[in-house]
Amino acid sequence: MSSQADLDLQIDLTGAVLVKWTGSANDRQPAAALNPVFERLLSMGRYLRFDFSELEHISSTTLVVVLRFFKKLNAMGVGFDFRYDQSVSWQRMMFSPVSALAAPPAMLLSAA
């Protein structure tokens, strides 16, 4: 990823892998940067939770790479969900339509 964006991988209390995105995801070649991370996530064999709530920006090319990965997860039967901050208009616009790809659990963080 670009030096402006960070991905933090953690195992949460349920045993799922939490993938927390922060900063600005605007790499010029996001597939080259993200595909190795995505392959690592697949190799872990766990439920995946993506948290975009602290992401400041995501480029359309990066979003396409993420959406392709979400579709791959669905095709493989890998469980996942994602969160975003619905109080941030760009996040709501980008991620709300993607909700159909993820598992039903709560995907939104309420505005505090």
Side-chain angles (χ1 to χ4, degrees):
M1 277 313 301
S2 166
S3 60
Q4 298 173 352
D6 290 313
L7 291 177
D8 183 33
L9 304 179
Q10 302 172 4
I11 305 296
D12 72 11
L13 295 176
T14 67
V17 177
L18 175 63
V19 183
K20 189 169 182 81
W21 297 60
T22 57
S24 183
N26 57 4
D27 197 291
R28 290 180 188 246
Q29 296 181 330
L34 289 174
N35 285 341
V37 175
F38 291 161
E39 290 304 316
R40 179 175 169 212
L41 290 172
L42 285 174
S43 73
M44 296 172 108
R46 294 177 180 260
Y47 189 89
L48 302 174
R49 284 208 161 90
F50 296 87
D51 185 348
F52 299 99
S53 62
E54 293 182 27
L55 192 62
E56 296 167 12
H57 171 79
I58 187 168
S59 70
S60 59
T61 54
T62 301
L63 184 61
V64 167
V65 173
V66 171
L67 292 178
R68 283 186 185 140
F69 184 61
F70 284 0
K71 286 181 180 182
K72 181 176 183 177
L73 293 174
N74 272 340
M76 295 176 68
V78 176
F80 74 99
D81 62 44
F82 69 96
R83 295 175 180 238
Y84 62 93
D85 188 345
Q86 79 174 39
S87 70
V88 178
S89 61
W90 74 264
Q91 284 196 17
R92 189 173 54 250
M93 181 182 75
M94 297 290 260
F95 294 115
S96 180
V98 180
S99 298
L101 291 174
M107 292 175 268
L108 305 177
L109 292 179
S110 59

